[in-house]
Amino acid sequence: MSLIASLPEIDTLSSSVFVKHERFEKFIPYHSHTKGQLSYVEGGLAYLQVNDKKYVIPAKHYFWVPQGVTHVLKIGHSGTVLRSLFFYTHDDDSHPFYSEVGIYPINDLLLEMIKYSESWYGHINPGEDQFLFLSVIKNILPEISNKRLPIALPFSENERIKPILDYLLLHISDSHSLQSIGYEFGISERSLSRLFQQTLATSFLQYLKLLRITRSIELMLQTDLSMNEIAYEVGYGSLSAFSEVFMQLTNSRPSDFKKHF
């Protein structure tokens, strides 16, 4: 049974942990559940859309979605297995971790523990041997999840700004400014600046930075381009300028970030 088909079943037992390891599921549309979700995409890139933000989930990272949060998950072509654990929530108030969406680098311990549950499926209930093992996973998450990936790209279906966002992505390597984009779309600089703040709650320049760094992470995982080539591909005139912004947004140098993979 696919994860999409399993969604109604996940919430039927509130005290259980629901286990699902799914192959080849590439797109899971808007949904929510009353359990907290821990998921790891094996083999590649994934995208998580929550409300008005899109998160890039690089290889060797996992994500947590709190109970009741509506989201969309899209898995890139290189992703092979979606490993998900849906946890009971009666103890979620024990730590702030459980109430926040987050993307984190996986460590060997958590990866092996998640893989250990590969042969299990469905509800694991209190009193079962597997339940104790799974509860340990949930309990250690706040301790091991201390390096959250801070990249989240604002998103909007607003009909005025969506063509502008599409244009920026399509021409990401070009030089852009409020003046040039305003001219392209027949909007004054002031109106364009206000549109970004009102629909995305961020400035034009900050959005452009986030877009470029998000795209650079995709290129690191999906291509064999050198770091210099990636810098130019996403619109930076030099590797040093690209590295400075990358460090500012991720707390890591691009070369160090790529080494992790």
Side-chain angles (χ1 to χ4, degrees):
M1 182 184 294
S2 71
L3 179 56
I4 293 176
S6 300
L7 290 177
E9 187 182 352
I10 291 171
D11 291 337
T12 56
L13 297 175
S14 61
S15 61
S16 73
V17 180
F18 190 89
V19 180
K20 179 64 179 174
H21 297 269
E22 172 65 24
R23 294 180 182 275
F24 308 126
E25 193 81 73
K26 294 298 183 183
F27 180 77
I28 302 169
Y30 274 112
H31 67 284
S32 64
H33 25 73
T34 59
K35 284 178 159 61
Q37 178 179 351
L38 168 67
S39 287
Y40 174 67
V41 179
E42 195 163 280
L45 200 65
Y47 303 88
L48 180 69
Q49 184 175 321
V50 179
N51 298 323
D52 57 353
K53 291 184 177 179
K54 286 183 178 179
Y55 296 83
V56 174
I57 308 165
K60 297 186 179 179
H61 283 67
Y62 60 94
F63 65 88
W64 175 264
V65 178
Q67 62 166 320
V69 174
T70 302
H71 56 285
V72 174
L73 180 64
K74 180 181 178 182
I75 300 175
H77 296 301
S78 57
T80 56
V81 182
L82 173 62
R83 304 186 183 278
S84 297
L85 306 175
F86 299 86
F87 287 96
Y88 49 85
T89 59
H90 62 80
D91 60 349
D92 278 8
D93 59 358
S94 64
H95 197 281
F97 168 87
Y98 302 116
S99 63
E100 301 175 352
V101 174
I103 317 296
Y104 306 91
I106 200 161
N107 62 26
D108 291 341
L109 171 64
L110 182 58
L111 180 56
E112 289 306 312
M113 293 181 79
I114 292 175
K115 284 187 173 183
Y116 187 79
S117 69
E118 185 172 20
S119 62
W120 307 342
Y121 170 74
H123 291 286
I124 308 297
N125 295 294
E128 298 181 49
D129 293 340
Q130 298 97 322
F131 184 85
L132 179 59
F133 178 86
L134 294 170
S135 66
V136 170
I137 293 179
K138 183 179 182 183
N139 291 339
I140 67 173
L141 287 176
E143 180 180 348
I144 66 175
S145 305
N146 52 17
K147 293 183 180 180
R148 179 197 255 178
L149 188 66
I151 291 290
L153 188 66
F155 172 77
S156 176
E157 290 287 358
N158 180 284
E159 62 182 16
R160 290 186 66 204
I161 201 166
K162 194 172 185 304
I164 298 173
L165 303 186
D166 292 340
Y167 178 86
L168 288 172
L169 178 59
L170 185 62
H171 301 276
I172 195 169
S173 62
D174 295 347
S175 177
H176 299 298
S177 66
L178 277 172
Q179 182 179 18
S180 66
I181 297 300
Y183 179 81
E184 182 71 29
F185 287 89
I187 306 173
S188 71
E189 293 181 45
R190 183 170 181 174
S191 295
L192 182 60
S193 177
R194 189 182 303 118
L195 182 61
F196 269 82
Q197 290 289 354
Q198 290 176 345
T199 59
L200 302 178
T202 192
S203 69
F204 168 79
L205 290 178
Q206 183 67 10
Y207 177 83
L208 187 57
K209 285 182 183 179
L210 287 167
L211 178 65
R212 284 173 164 163
I213 298 307
T214 298
R215 180 58 181 152
S216 74
I217 292 173
E218 294 175 335
L219 292 173
M220 287 181 200
L221 297 175
Q222 296 174 334
T223 73
D224 294 324
L225 293 175
S226 70
M227 211 57 71
N228 267 304
E229 290 171 323
I230 289 174
Y232 287 111
E233 187 71 21
V234 299
Y236 288 96
S238 68
L239 179 57
S240 61
F242 166 61
S243 183
E244 181 178 346
V245 176
F246 196 97
M247 180 70 178
Q248 180 187 94
L249 295 181
T250 68
N251 296 316
S252 174
R253 295 291 177 191
S255 55
D256 294 334
F257 190 90
K258 187 171 184 178
K259 282 178 185 177
H260 179 69
F261 307 116

